[in-house]
């Protein structure tokens, strides 16, 4: 009996060592990229929307400086992310090479500079053979590139999906997940395959965020089509793993104030990553105030990590709601129409009874205790964003 028990425990021990006793699900989560990262949606800046391929170490350094001097960092923004075009070739050993003309000091020196400001650095690559701008992709170099990024001190990597014909996104992004996990550094993993093969279904066990659509641009039409189409994806988001409706266009001047307010409000209610995409070195006061509105950011960064959803719609009018950790609700009254319209929030629409205390977060104004409903004038393409509490 005694020998039997010893034999049994030896077998159990060997099974544990082999890892074969761990159910498949646990094995997946064990390999996933630093799950403690991105407990709230990542906040930072990315070069693409404003600068496209016109990136350089000077731009990145000046942007890091501006992140501090404008109060963006104090408001919560921390990642400074270089998008496509920083890389030009591979060396004889297959190591990725940064453009020596645009990044003469190299990415490691840039990471040191950015870290010296208390910020974090991100880079971009592609899971296919080439990036979208035809720079070397990471296909077949997943471990090598993840190791390189870790050695440079990179904190965030966005991985695109151009030139990936015939490849399966779940398979390729899982390779990256494992390569990043092995790299020895905590690196936020941003999957950018534009919603191909429904990344929300496999993204949560693979990366920290995944793009759900094609690219945004600086127009109300494109921004609103993307933002309002996120309804239904809320069940896939939560701390450590987020739907990504693409980066912000606030401050790039293609939309007016009401339209940019809609952009910020919707992204906050969606618990979307907030990656500014404008020139932080030359912001108007209006843009800065919009990007750093602490009450809107608090909705996005709420610790519950719930993504909001549509509660009601009628023609061009929509009411969205995001539950917050303290039991309050963030509410967006959106007017997608072409003229100013009234929207009535009947508290039953958001599952509330009796009276609610309302606050207008853009106006920084308490509206008082309201009975049963609240009616607001909402401008064309605009929003009234509220916090409702008991
Ligand atoms: C797109 C991506 C953009 C940007 C661009 C760079 O595929 O969605 O956000 O990264 O590539 O070429």
């Amino acid at each position: 009996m005694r020998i039997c028990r010893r034999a049994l425990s030896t077998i159990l021990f060997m099974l544990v060592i082999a890892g074969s006793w761990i159910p498949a699900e646990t094995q997946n989560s064990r390999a996933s990229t630093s799950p403690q990262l991105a407990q709230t949606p990542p906040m930072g800046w990315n070069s693409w929307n404003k600068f496209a391929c016109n990136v350089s170490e000077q731009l990145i350094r000046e942007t890091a400086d501006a992140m501090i001097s404008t109060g963006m960092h104090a408001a919560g923004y921390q990642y400074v992310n270089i998008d496509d075009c920083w890389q030009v070739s591979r060396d004889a050993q297959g190591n990725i090479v940064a453009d020596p003309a645009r990044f003469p000091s190299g990415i490691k020196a840039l990471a040191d500079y950015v870290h010296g400001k208390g910020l974090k650095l991100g880079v971009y690559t592609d899971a296919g053979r080439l990036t979208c701008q035809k720079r070397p992709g990471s296909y077949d170099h997943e471990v090598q590139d993840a190791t390189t990024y870790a050695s440079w001190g990179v904190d965030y990597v966005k991985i695109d999906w151009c030139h990936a014909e015939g490849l399966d996104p779940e398979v390729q992004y899982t390779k990256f997940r494992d390569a990043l996990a092995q790299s020895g550094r905590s690196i936020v993993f941003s999957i950018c395959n534009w919603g191909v093969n429904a990344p929300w279904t496999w993204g949560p066990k693979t990366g920290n965020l995944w793009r759900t659509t094609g690219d945004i641009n600086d127009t109300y039409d494109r921004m609103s089509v993307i933002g309002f189409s996120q309804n239904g994806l809320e069940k896939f988001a939560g701390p450590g793993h987020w739907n990504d409706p693409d980066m912000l266009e606030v401050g790039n001047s293609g939309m007016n104030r009401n339209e940019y307010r809609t952009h910020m409000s919707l992204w906050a209610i969606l618990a979307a990553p907030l990656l500014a995409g404008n020139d932080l070195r030359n912001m108007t006061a209006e843009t800065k105030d919009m990007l750093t509105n602490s009450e809107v950011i608090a909705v996005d960064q709420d610790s519950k990590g719930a993504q909001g959803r549509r509660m009601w719609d009628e023609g061009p009018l929509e009411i969205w709601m995001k539950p917050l950790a303290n039991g309050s609700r963030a509410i967006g009254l959106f007017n997608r129409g072409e003229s100013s319209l009234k929207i009535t929030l009947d508290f039953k629409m958001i599952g509330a009874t009796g009276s609610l205390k309302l606050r207008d977060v853009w106006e920084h104004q308490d509206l008082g205790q309201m009975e049963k409903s609240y009616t607001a004038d909402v401008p064309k393409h605009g929003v009234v964003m509220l916090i409702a509490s008991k």
Side-chain angles (χ1 to χ4, degrees), residues 46 48-49 83-85 124 131-133 158 160-162 192 194 211 213-215 246-247:
N46 173 292
W48 183 255
N49 283 353
D83 208 275
D84 208 345
C85 302
Y124 160 103
T131 73
C132 296
Q133 304 306 315
K158 167 176 168 181
D160 216 337
W161 191 242
C162 280
C192 175
W194 327 303
R211 281 274 298 280
T213 68
D215 286 10
D246 208 355
M247 304 171 293

Side-chain angles (χ1 to χ4, degrees), residues 133-213:
Q133 304 306 315
K134 301 208 167 60
R135 307 304 173 93
S138 287
Y139 179 66
D140 247 355
H141 291 272
E142 292 85 2
V143 171
Q144 186 173 22
D145 286 354
T147 308
T148 302
Y149 303 153
S151 76
W152 287 342
V154 165
D155 306 293
Y156 186 115
V157 61
K158 167 176 168 181
I159 304 185
D160 216 337
W161 191 242
C162 280
H163 304 283
E165 294 73 20
L167 300 177
D168 178 321
E170 184 173 353
V171 170
Q172 296 309 314
Y173 285 107
T174 300
K175 284 187 196 166
F176 263 108
R177 174 195 73 186
D178 295 342
L180 291 168
Q182 284 165 35
S183 76
R185 189 169 172 87
S186 290
I187 299 177
V188 172
F189 179 15
S190 158
I191 295 169
C192 175
N193 80 324
W194 327 303
V196 175
N197 284 14
W200 44 88
T201 59
W202 45 268
K205 65 170 196 267
T206 310
N208 298 112
L209 58 154
W210 52 87
R211 281 274 298 280
T212 55
T213 68

Side-chain angles (χ1 to χ4, degrees), residues 176-329:
F176 263 108
R177 174 195 73 186
D178 295 342
L180 291 168
Q182 284 165 35
S183 76
R185 189 169 172 87
S186 290
I187 299 177
V188 172
F189 179 15
S190 158
I191 295 169
C192 175
N193 80 324
W194 327 303
V196 175
N197 284 14
W200 44 88
T201 59
W202 45 268
K205 65 170 196 267
T206 310
N208 298 112
L209 58 154
W210 52 87
R211 281 274 298 280
T212 55
T213 68
D215 286 10
I216 196 168
N217 62 40
D218 191 17
T219 62
Y220 175 76
D221 283 353
R222 184 63 184 153
M223 179 279 293
S224 60
V225 161
I226 289 178
F228 289 110
S229 74
Q230 301 302 297
N231 198 46
L233 297 181
E234 62 278 353
K235 53 183 163 293
F236 304 102
H241 46 274
W242 308 99
N243 288 301
D244 176 7
D246 208 355
M247 304 171 293
L248 298 172
E249 291 282 7
V250 175
N252 284 336
S253 68
M255 293 181 236
N256 66 31
R257 177 167 165 270
N258 290 330
E259 294 168 337
Y260 281 139
R261 279 190 174 187
T262 292
H263 188 8
M264 277 300 283
S265 305
L266 191 49
W267 264 236
I269 288 171
L270 291 170
L274 296 180
L275 293 164
N278 59 318
D279 186 346
L280 300 188
R281 303 165 306 176
N282 298 299
M283 278 195 282
T284 62
E286 181 176 301
T287 296
K288 191 174 76 172
D289 289 350
M290 205 168 303
L291 285 169
T292 59
N293 183 308
S294 57
E295 297 188 50
V296 176
I297 289 173
V299 169
D300 182 79
Q301 296 290 298
D302 183 72
S303 62
K304 189 179 176 81
Q307 175 174 327
R309 65 192 173 95
R310 183 162 45 226
M311 307 302 288
W312 173 86
D313 66 307
E314 182 180 287
L317 309 179
E318 302 196 11
I319 296 180
W320 287 61
M321 195 268 287
K322 177 190 201 291
L324 303 175
N326 67 1
S328 303
R329 300 164 167 94

